[in-house]
Amino acid sequence: MTNLSAPIIYKTEYNLHTANRLNDQIKTKYGSSSNQSTLLIDYPTVYIIENSTKIKHSQYTVYVGETNDIQRRTLQHLDRDPMNREDFSDFKNSNNVTMYVIGHSHFNKSMTLDIENRLMQYLSSVNSVERLNNRRHNDQNRYYDYKEFDELFNKIWKKLNHYNSSLFPVQRIVESSALFKASPFNKLTTEQLNAKSEIIEKINKALFDQKRQTQNKGQLILVEGEAGSGKTVLMSNIFYDLIHEDQIMRKDMNLDRKPLSVSLLVNQKEQLKVYEEIARKLFDKEDNISVEKPVTFIKKTDPNKKIDIALVDEAHLLLTQASQSYSNDKRHPEVQVGTNMLEDILKRAKIVMAVFDPKQILSTDTVWTEEQLKNLKAQAGKQNIISLNKQMRIDANPQTIEWIRNFIDKGIVGKIPADNNYQIRIFDDPAKMQKAIEEKNANQDKGISRMVATFDWEYSGGARALPKDQDYWEVSENNWKMPWNYEINRREKYERKNQKHNLVKYNQQSWAEKDYTINEIGSTYTVQGFDLNYVGVELGPSVKFKDGHVIRDPKYSKNNRATRKRDSNKSYAGKLLSNELNVLMTRGVHGLYLHAVDPELQKALEDAINR
């Protein structure tokens, strides 16, 4: 921590009258020859323009920018930009617009671009922000004072919070959101930057080639990476850049062509909500994009009228055989589908970028056989397979990560290593583990904590009646019990009755972000793809310790999607239940709490602490 001075934040009305006198107003406030006036008028600054809409609660349209001349830039926004841009036309014609001008003695061009980018990341994750405008992607690498960046940004955000806590909430609240963690404005690692550069180059080349040849199938780019390797952030970043680079090409260069058609497809309901929010907040109405489930895309898209690019997140969740929900519709016989979703997507897009992790396949219907996997990779070709290898979620030393991987992949329960950054705890009672998770969640400096469980207890969201002695479908052991995810809905009913506008926001949140879910226990289907601060994993009766190794016993699993046989004879239950364990045990950023129903496994875990 250095002794950085506090940032200067000048708050003012945003209109032509104020803009024409902006420099004079700054001098009047701080003094004509003061350091504050000099830094705001003559040095680089970052600025935020916000237009609040007074409904029942304030909602904001926001623009973030940086400039070397704040008065000139403000006049340009108010004079010329409204003729070409709807957002600045709205700003100009509104009576409720505010501008914050931010200055600091350590601001240079790289620093202000980095601050601008981080503000975009934070503001895009704030619930009260309806729309966020900026055409650039400005994350910087190293520069003269880059080591001061985090401290300086924190000071800026804290001061902004004092001005408007609705628009600038406390940092820990913003940082705990799924939207923040998936934001396209996250700073990419060197590995991600290299992957992004390679993917964009391949996409541009493929688009160019498609103009000269007609193919039945699109070109496939496969991105491989295990849980926590940064696939979602990379996908979000590429999605944003493709659209905004296309906007610049069309608008700033006055190119007379249709917008690039891009569809982002994801089969995971919770992740779909996140991408829908990103698209709603960041893209224009005229952008030719969609965010939807793969089956929706397939059934509405004519193979003879291919879109330009399909980005497929969690491609390992796509169906690889016929099912009732994914089949030809007798009402629309002209829409023909096959038995493999990815193959059908390839028939409907010129280029398909698919993120793929075989270790996160959870259902028999989505299993890729060895032959299918071999053909998939052959279709992409070695040159179009890109791997992400760096673990980015779990903030632990290599020995801790090795312990987790040995447990999941090899069934080995080794001595639990000491780790200053990551905590593995074993509980002899699930109630004690639940209490510890609740305590961690109550102090959310680093994010949300939740309980999760292997799918070894009955669950039904349908019409099947609950057992007589239960209020919910639940996870239980002896006298302890917790409702399964999405079982508690009283809060949502209350919101619907009393705060309809807030309910919309509430339902757009992922399962873990809803505050009442601290009283529920999650499954692979609600936490896959998401980070938790601490995760408490209840290892159900299907996870056993036998002959010195951890095994998965399908007889005790209630996960019919994983245990049912394929084509009536082939079972993948062992592999799929191992994948289920992989998803659950790799959610925690700072800690993994464990309790096992199986007495032998529980003893092995307790012995692992005392060795």
Side-chain angles (χ1 to χ4, degrees), residues 354-458:
V355 168
F356 193 85
D357 177 10
K359 289 186 178 181
Q360 292 195 67
I361 292 172
L362 300 175
S363 166
T364 301
D365 291 339
T366 63
V367 166
W368 290 76
T369 65
E370 291 298 324
E371 184 179 359
Q372 285 177 317
L373 202 53
K374 182 179 178 181
N375 291 338
L376 178 70
K377 292 189 175 185
Q379 187 168 339
K382 288 184 179 180
Q383 74 282 1
N384 275 7
I385 298 176
I386 295 166
S387 298
L388 295 176
N389 301 304
K390 185 178 179 181
Q391 169 59 240
M392 295 178 61
R393 175 181 295 131
I394 300 174
D395 184 17
N397 63 36
Q399 293 77 21
T400 298
I401 293 174
E402 183 180 16
W403 187 92
I404 295 170
R405 292 264 45 106
N406 282 340
F407 187 101
I408 298 168
D409 300 333
K410 300 176 182 178
I412 297 172
V413 183
K415 179 181 178 181
I416 296 175
D419 194 326
N420 293 329
N421 295 322
Y422 192 90
Q423 185 181 49
I424 297 178
R425 289 182 63 186
I426 310 302
F427 290 82
D428 60 7
D429 182 345
K432 294 178 182 177
M433 181 166 70
Q434 180 185 355
K435 183 178 178 182
I437 288 294
E438 288 171 350
E439 289 172 353
K440 287 295 183 183
N441 187 68
N443 180 16
Q444 290 186 13
D445 287 342
K446 294 180 179 177
I448 295 166
S449 299
R450 288 292 183 269
M451 291 279 285
V452 299
T454 52
F455 204 156
D456 294 344
W457 291 264
E458 291 285 355

Side-chain angles (χ1 to χ4, degrees), residues 134-371:
N134 188 305
R135 296 189 188 180
R136 296 181 300 183
H137 218 307
N138 293 323
D139 55 311
Q140 303 291 296
N141 291 318
R142 296 190 174 193
Y143 45 91
Y144 176 68
D145 51 357
Y146 77 96
K147 291 182 179 179
E148 299 175 344
F149 171 77
D150 286 332
E151 181 184 352
L152 181 51
F153 178 83
N154 293 344
K155 286 177 179 288
I156 290 169
W157 190 266
K158 187 174 183 179
K159 196 165 184 177
L160 288 168
N161 170 260
H162 290 309
Y163 279 107
N164 186 338
S165 59
S166 176
L167 180 57
F168 309 105
V170 175
Q171 278 183 266
R172 64 177 174 81
I173 295 174
V174 181
E175 291 171 356
S176 67
S177 73
L179 196 60
F180 179 85
K181 292 168 183 174
S183 170
F185 303 106
N186 273 292
K187 188 181 287 289
L188 300 184
T189 64
T190 300
E191 182 181 55
Q192 288 173 316
L193 283 169
N194 290 338
K196 173 185 172 181
S197 177
E198 190 174 349
I199 291 166
I200 294 292
E201 182 180 350
K202 292 179 184 300
I203 287 174
N204 288 335
K205 185 177 184 299
L207 283 173
F208 181 80
D209 290 344
Q210 284 289 341
K211 293 176 182 178
R212 288 160 173 75
Q213 56 184 312
T214 302
Q215 298 178 349
N216 290 328
K217 288 185 180 179
Q219 185 164 328
L220 175 63
I221 301 169
L222 271 183
V223 180
E224 297 182 326
E226 294 190 5
S229 59
K231 302 184 298 295
T232 295
V233 168
L234 178 63
M235 174 70 79
S236 174
N237 192 283
I238 288 173
F239 182 44
Y240 180 85
D241 267 18
L242 285 172
I243 304 304
H244 279 264
E245 288 301 317
D246 184 58
Q247 285 179 341
I248 291 170
M249 291 287 288
R250 288 184 292 106
K251 295 180 180 179
D252 293 358
M253 299 179 67
N254 294 316
L255 295 181
D256 185 20
R257 64 172 174 79
K258 293 181 179 179
L260 198 66
S261 52
V262 183
S263 290
L264 198 158
L265 313 175
V266 58
N267 219 28
Q268 214 268 13
K269 182 175 69 174
E270 303 298 323
Q271 196 66 51
L272 181 66
K273 292 178 183 178
V274 173
Y275 286 132
E276 285 174 337
E277 275 287 272
I278 289 172
R280 186 181 64 81
K281 290 187 175 190
L282 300 179
F283 298 131
D284 295 335
K285 295 176 183 177
E286 63 266 25
D287 292 326
N288 193 6
I289 67 165
S290 67
V291 178
E292 56 197 335
K293 286 201 167 187
V295 67
T296 306
F297 168 81
I298 290 166
K299 290 190 173 183
K300 80 173 190 183
T301 307
D302 186 345
N304 296 314
K305 297 177 182 178
K306 293 181 175 66
I307 69 162
D308 293 314
I309 304 166
L311 305 174
V312 187
D313 200 6
E314 312 272 12
H316 41 268
L317 301 181
L318 298 184
L319 295 173
T320 56
Q321 63 174 14
S323 76
Q324 189 172 1
S325 62
Y326 172 57
S327 61
N328 288 307
D329 190 338
K330 293 179 180 179
R331 295 169 299 177
H332 300 283
E334 73 279 4
V335 181
Q336 295 294 309
V337 300
T339 57
N340 184 302
M341 279 187 170
L342 189 53
E343 289 291 331
D344 277 334
I345 293 168
L346 282 161
K347 293 174 183 176
R348 289 160 170 79
K350 298 173 184 176
I351 302 137
V352 176
M353 171 190 157
V355 168
F356 193 85
D357 177 10
K359 289 186 178 181
Q360 292 195 67
I361 292 172
L362 300 175
S363 166
T364 301
D365 291 339
T366 63
V367 166
W368 290 76
T369 65
E370 291 298 324
E371 184 179 359

